[in-house]
Amino acid sequence: MHITEKQLKLITEVVSQQTIKAYKEDQAKQQEEKHDTRLRNIKLLLRNYRALVLHCEKLEDDFVKFENTSIQDLDLEEISLESIESIKQSKAKSLSMVYFVRGKMEAYKRSCSEDELKYFRVLEKKYLTSHKYTIQEIAEREGIDRATVYRYLDKAIEELPVIFFGVTAIKFE
């Protein structure tokens, strides 16, 4: 069977259109996954924020203890220069992350209108305060029901990707 020039051109056009369509769908899917990953990362940071703060508060104590320890008191067989550097880097990253989250939460608070501050207060009680409030306690303190607490949390967290990641978090249609 012989394909004419016209048929070949038509086949090429159809295949090209389908390829472009598949590429655009793949790009959209990747963008959606990127957005979902950012949201998951924000939620993960918020869930672990108190632990990071506690870890960083302990850092000061550790540094003071370490400064008062002589080199002779260290078990050099167990401690290597690489492990000390690794610990310092890990602690520095933890401290940086705490300051990053604090700064972003402060930016979110400043961006809230008077009416939207209720979302921030619920988010703050759930994740940021030193006291870990239950959903019921938050509901009672805010004078709302439990379902509203969850709605407020969702609303607040929905606003955070742009504050955390800037323009790259905006989903353009």
Side-chain angles (χ1 to χ4, degrees):
M1 179 172 173
H2 180 68
I3 298 177
T4 67
E5 181 102 10
K6 189 175 181 181
Q7 290 171 327
L8 184 58
K9 186 176 179 181
L10 181 63
I11 291 170
T12 305
E13 239 178 71
V14 170
V15 169
S16 296
Q17 288 172 354
Q18 291 301 313
T19 303
I20 291 169
K21 182 180 174 189
Y23 174 78
K24 286 180 179 179
E25 288 171 356
D26 187 50
Q27 289 296 101
K29 184 179 176 188
Q30 286 179 7
Q31 280 299 106
E32 188 65 32
E33 287 172 0
K34 195 175 192 180
H35 177 75
D36 291 346
T37 301
R38 287 183 179 142
L39 207 50
R40 276 195 306 276
N41 288 344
I42 289 171
K43 288 177 182 178
L44 186 63
L45 270 175
L46 290 173
R47 278 195 302 270
N48 291 287
Y49 180 76
R50 282 190 187 91
L52 280 172
V53 169
L54 291 174
H55 175 69
C56 290
E57 286 174 354
K58 189 170 175 343
L59 290 180
E60 237 178 79
D61 297 338
D62 290 347
F63 284 134
V64 170
K65 286 178 193 172
F66 188 70
E67 283 177 2
N68 296 330
T69 304
S70 72
I71 195 76
Q72 289 81 17
D73 294 336
L74 295 174
D75 186 352
L76 294 178
E77 290 180 17
E78 289 183 23
I79 300 174
S80 67
L81 187 57
E82 292 84 20
S83 66
I84 291 171
E85 282 303 312
S86 175
I87 291 167
K88 281 172 47 181
Q89 287 176 357
S90 172
K91 291 184 177 197
K93 285 179 184 176
S94 295
L95 194 55
S96 296
M97 193 54 68
V98 166
Y99 284 120
F100 174 78
V101 171
R102 271 190 194 150
K104 297 306 178 184
M105 290 297 100
E106 193 56 40
Y108 172 58
K109 182 179 180 181
R110 285 191 318 269
S111 76
C112 289
S113 68
E114 197 65 38
D115 188 50
E116 293 170 329
L117 280 173
K118 59 190 175 192
Y119 307 135
F120 174 78
R121 287 192 311 269
V122 168
L123 181 77
E124 184 178 42
K125 286 177 180 75
K126 177 67 178 159
Y127 296 113
L128 306 175
T129 58
S130 57
H131 175 75
K132 192 174 187 177
Y133 291 93
T134 65
I135 295 297
Q136 187 60 42
E137 288 172 326
I138 296 169
E140 289 169 7
R141 288 186 178 263
E142 291 295 318
I144 56 179
D145 59 59
R146 292 171 52 92
T148 304
V149 170
Y150 287 111
R151 277 199 327 275
Y152 283 9
L153 284 171
D154 288 344
K155 182 70 174 161
I157 291 171
E158 182 181 293
E159 300 294 321
L160 295 179
V162 173
I163 292 171
F164 272 66
F165 302 109
V167 73
T168 59
I170 297 173
K171 291 169 47 173
F172 293 103
E173 299 299 321

Short mmCIF file of all heavy atoms in Angstrom, two decimals, residues 1 19 26 31 33 42 48 51 56 77-78 81 89 94 97 103 107 109 111 119 134 138 145 147 153-154 158 172:
data_model
loop_
_atom_site.label_atom_id
_atom_site.label_comp_id
_atom_site.label_asym_id
_atom_site.label_seq_id
_atom_site.Cartn_x
_atom_site.Cartn_y
_atom_site.Cartn_z
N MET A 1 0.84 -1.16 0.00
CA MET A 1 0.00 0.00 0.00
C MET A 1 0.89 1.24 0.00
O MET A 1 1.86 1.32 0.74
CB MET A 1 -0.90 -0.03 1.23
CG MET A 1 -1.79 1.15 1.31
SD MET A 1 -2.94 0.87 2.66
CE MET A 1 -3.69 2.42 2.69
N THR A 19 0.65 14.72 20.14
CA THR A 19 1.88 14.83 20.92
C THR A 19 1.87 16.12 21.75
O THR A 19 2.21 16.11 22.93
CB THR A 19 3.12 14.80 20.00
OG1 THR A 19 3.09 13.58 19.23
CG2 THR A 19 4.40 14.87 20.78
N ASP A 26 0.78 16.53 30.42
CA ASP A 26 1.87 16.10 31.31
C ASP A 26 2.41 17.29 32.11
O ASP A 26 2.66 17.19 33.31
CB ASP A 26 2.99 15.45 30.50
CG ASP A 26 4.06 14.84 31.38
OD1 ASP A 26 3.69 14.08 32.30
OD2 ASP A 26 5.25 15.14 31.16
N GLN A 31 2.75 20.32 37.26
CA GLN A 31 2.50 21.54 38.02
C GLN A 31 1.60 21.25 39.22
O GLN A 31 1.83 21.75 40.31
CB GLN A 31 1.84 22.62 37.14
CG GLN A 31 2.81 23.36 36.26
CD GLN A 31 3.85 24.11 37.06
OE1 GLN A 31 5.00 23.71 37.12
NE2 GLN A 31 3.47 25.19 37.69
N GLU A 33 1.24 18.36 40.76
CA GLU A 33 2.01 17.57 41.73
C GLU A 33 2.98 18.47 42.50
O GLU A 33 3.16 18.29 43.70
CB GLU A 33 2.78 16.46 41.01
CG GLU A 33 1.90 15.33 40.55
CD GLU A 33 2.63 14.32 39.68
OE1 GLU A 33 3.85 14.49 39.42
OE2 GLU A 33 1.98 13.35 39.26
N ILE A 42 4.52 22.27 53.59
CA ILE A 42 4.10 23.28 54.56
C ILE A 42 3.41 22.61 55.75
O ILE A 42 3.71 22.91 56.91
CB ILE A 42 3.16 24.32 53.91
CG1 ILE A 42 3.98 25.20 52.94
CG2 ILE A 42 2.46 25.17 54.96
CD1 ILE A 42 3.14 26.11 52.08
N ASN A 48 5.62 19.78 62.63
CA ASN A 48 6.88 19.55 63.35
C ASN A 48 7.48 20.82 63.94
O ASN A 48 8.57 20.78 64.50
CB ASN A 48 7.89 18.88 62.42
CG ASN A 48 7.47 17.47 62.11
OD1 ASN A 48 7.55 16.59 62.96
ND2 ASN A 48 6.97 17.24 60.91
N ALA A 51 8.43 20.82 67.73
CA ALA A 51 9.60 19.98 67.98
C ALA A 51 10.88 20.68 67.52
O ALA A 51 11.91 20.61 68.21
CB ALA A 51 9.46 18.63 67.27
N CYS A 56 15.78 23.61 68.93
CA CYS A 56 16.62 24.81 68.84
C CYS A 56 16.84 25.45 70.20
O CYS A 56 17.91 26.00 70.46
CB CYS A 56 16.02 25.82 67.86
SG CYS A 56 16.14 25.25 66.16
N GLU A 77 37.38 8.63 70.04
CA GLU A 77 37.14 7.45 69.20
C GLU A 77 35.71 7.44 68.68
O GLU A 77 35.43 6.90 67.63
CB GLU A 77 37.43 6.17 70.00
CG GLU A 77 38.92 5.99 70.28
CD GLU A 77 39.19 4.73 71.08
OE1 GLU A 77 38.32 3.84 71.14
OE2 GLU A 77 40.30 4.64 71.62
N GLU A 78 34.80 8.02 69.43
CA GLU A 78 33.39 8.05 69.02
C GLU A 78 33.05 9.31 68.24
O GLU A 78 32.10 9.33 67.48
CB GLU A 78 32.48 7.96 70.25
CG GLU A 78 32.48 6.60 70.90
CD GLU A 78 31.51 6.55 72.06
OE1 GLU A 78 30.57 7.35 72.10
OE2 GLU A 78 31.70 5.69 72.93
N LEU A 81 35.72 14.68 63.49
CA LEU A 81 35.52 16.05 63.02
C LEU A 81 34.32 16.11 62.08
O LEU A 81 33.53 17.04 62.14
CB LEU A 81 36.79 16.54 62.31
CG LEU A 81 36.80 18.00 61.90
CD1 LEU A 81 36.58 18.91 63.11
CD2 LEU A 81 38.12 18.36 61.23
N GLN A 89 25.87 21.39 61.21
CA GLN A 89 25.08 21.72 60.03
C GLN A 89 23.61 21.40 60.25
O GLN A 89 22.73 22.18 59.88
CB GLN A 89 25.60 20.98 58.80
CG GLN A 89 26.90 21.53 58.28
CD GLN A 89 27.44 20.70 57.11
OE1 GLN A 89 26.87 19.68 56.74
NE2 GLN A 89 28.55 21.15 56.55
N SER A 94 18.16 23.41 61.33
CA SER A 94 16.97 23.44 62.19
C SER A 94 16.68 24.86 62.64
O SER A 94 15.53 25.32 62.58
CB SER A 94 17.16 22.54 63.42
OG SER A 94 17.29 21.20 63.03
N MET A 97 15.37 26.92 59.80
CA MET A 97 14.00 26.58 59.46
C MET A 97 13.01 27.20 60.45
O MET A 97 11.95 27.68 60.07
CB MET A 97 13.82 25.06 59.40
CG MET A 97 12.52 24.64 58.78
SD MET A 97 12.22 25.33 57.14
CE MET A 97 13.44 24.53 56.16
N GLY A 103 9.18 33.79 60.39
CA GLY A 103 9.07 34.93 59.49
C GLY A 103 7.88 34.82 58.56
O GLY A 103 7.15 35.80 58.34
N ALA A 107 4.56 37.13 58.36
CA ALA A 107 4.12 37.72 57.08
C ALA A 107 2.66 37.37 56.82
O ALA A 107 1.88 38.22 56.37
CB ALA A 107 5.00 37.24 55.93
N LYS A 109 0.37 36.70 59.07
CA LYS A 109 -0.44 37.46 60.03
C LYS A 109 -0.62 38.90 59.54
O LYS A 109 -1.73 39.43 59.57
CB LYS A 109 0.23 37.45 61.40
CG LYS A 109 -0.55 38.16 62.47
CD LYS A 109 0.18 38.09 63.80
CE LYS A 109 -0.59 38.80 64.88
NZ LYS A 109 0.14 38.74 66.17
N SER A 111 -0.55 39.92 56.54
CA SER A 111 -1.35 39.96 55.30
C SER A 111 -2.84 39.76 55.56
O SER A 111 -3.66 40.02 54.68
CB SER A 111 -0.86 38.91 54.31
OG SER A 111 -1.28 37.61 54.70
N TYR A 119 -8.43 33.07 61.14
CA TYR A 119 -7.74 31.92 60.53
C TYR A 119 -6.34 31.80 61.12
O TYR A 119 -5.88 30.71 61.46
CB TYR A 119 -7.64 32.07 59.01
CG TYR A 119 -8.95 32.32 58.32
CD1 TYR A 119 -9.06 33.29 57.33
CD2 TYR A 119 -10.10 31.59 58.64
CE1 TYR A 119 -10.26 33.52 56.68
CE2 TYR A 119 -11.30 31.82 57.99
CZ TYR A 119 -11.38 32.79 57.02
OH TYR A 119 -12.56 33.02 56.38
N THR A 134 -5.83 21.22 71.63
CA THR A 134 -6.61 20.25 70.88
C THR A 134 -7.61 21.02 70.01
O THR A 134 -7.85 22.21 70.25
CB THR A 134 -7.39 19.30 71.82
OG1 THR A 134 -8.35 20.08 72.55
CG2 THR A 134 -6.45 18.57 72.78
N ILE A 138 -9.37 24.66 70.91
CA ILE A 138 -9.36 25.78 69.97
C ILE A 138 -10.79 26.24 69.71
O ILE A 138 -11.08 27.44 69.73
CB ILE A 138 -8.66 25.40 68.64
CG1 ILE A 138 -7.17 25.10 68.88
CG2 ILE A 138 -8.81 26.52 67.61
CD1 ILE A 138 -6.45 24.47 67.69
N ASP A 145 -17.41 25.94 66.39
CA ASP A 145 -17.48 24.48 66.55
C ASP A 145 -16.27 23.82 65.90
O ASP A 145 -15.49 24.45 65.19
CB ASP A 145 -18.81 23.91 66.05
CG ASP A 145 -19.06 24.19 64.59
OD1 ASP A 145 -18.24 23.78 63.76
OD2 ASP A 145 -20.11 24.81 64.29
N ALA A 147 -15.90 21.67 63.49
CA ALA A 147 -15.84 21.67 62.02
C ALA A 147 -15.31 23.00 61.50
O ALA A 147 -14.56 23.05 60.52
CB ALA A 147 -17.22 21.37 61.44
N LEU A 153 -8.49 26.21 59.53
CA LEU A 153 -7.13 25.69 59.28
C LEU A 153 -6.89 25.51 57.78
O LEU A 153 -5.84 25.92 57.26
CB LEU A 153 -6.91 24.35 60.00
CG LEU A 153 -6.67 24.43 61.50
CD1 LEU A 153 -6.68 23.04 62.11
CD2 LEU A 153 -5.37 25.16 61.81
N ASP A 154 -7.85 24.92 57.11
CA ASP A 154 -7.72 24.73 55.65
C ASP A 154 -7.58 26.07 54.94
O ASP A 154 -6.75 26.21 54.04
CB ASP A 154 -8.92 23.96 55.09
CG ASP A 154 -8.93 22.50 55.48
OD1 ASP A 154 -7.87 21.98 55.91
OD2 ASP A 154 -10.00 21.86 55.36
N GLU A 158 -4.26 27.20 52.97
CA GLU A 158 -4.45 27.49 51.54
C GLU A 158 -3.71 28.77 51.12
O GLU A 158 -3.26 28.89 49.98
CB GLU A 158 -5.95 27.63 51.28
CG GLU A 158 -6.36 27.87 49.87
CD GLU A 158 -7.88 28.02 49.80
OE1 GLU A 158 -8.58 27.02 50.05
OE2 GLU A 158 -8.34 29.14 49.49
N PHE A 172 -1.38 29.59 37.61
CA PHE A 172 -1.95 30.38 36.54
C PHE A 172 -2.75 29.47 35.62
O PHE A 172 -2.33 28.38 35.29
CB PHE A 172 -0.85 31.08 35.73
CG PHE A 172 -0.12 32.13 36.50
CD1 PHE A 172 1.14 31.89 37.01
CD2 PHE A 172 -0.70 33.37 36.75
CE1 PHE A 172 1.80 32.84 37.73
CE2 PHE A 172 -0.05 34.34 37.46
CZ PHE A 172 1.22 34.08 37.97
#
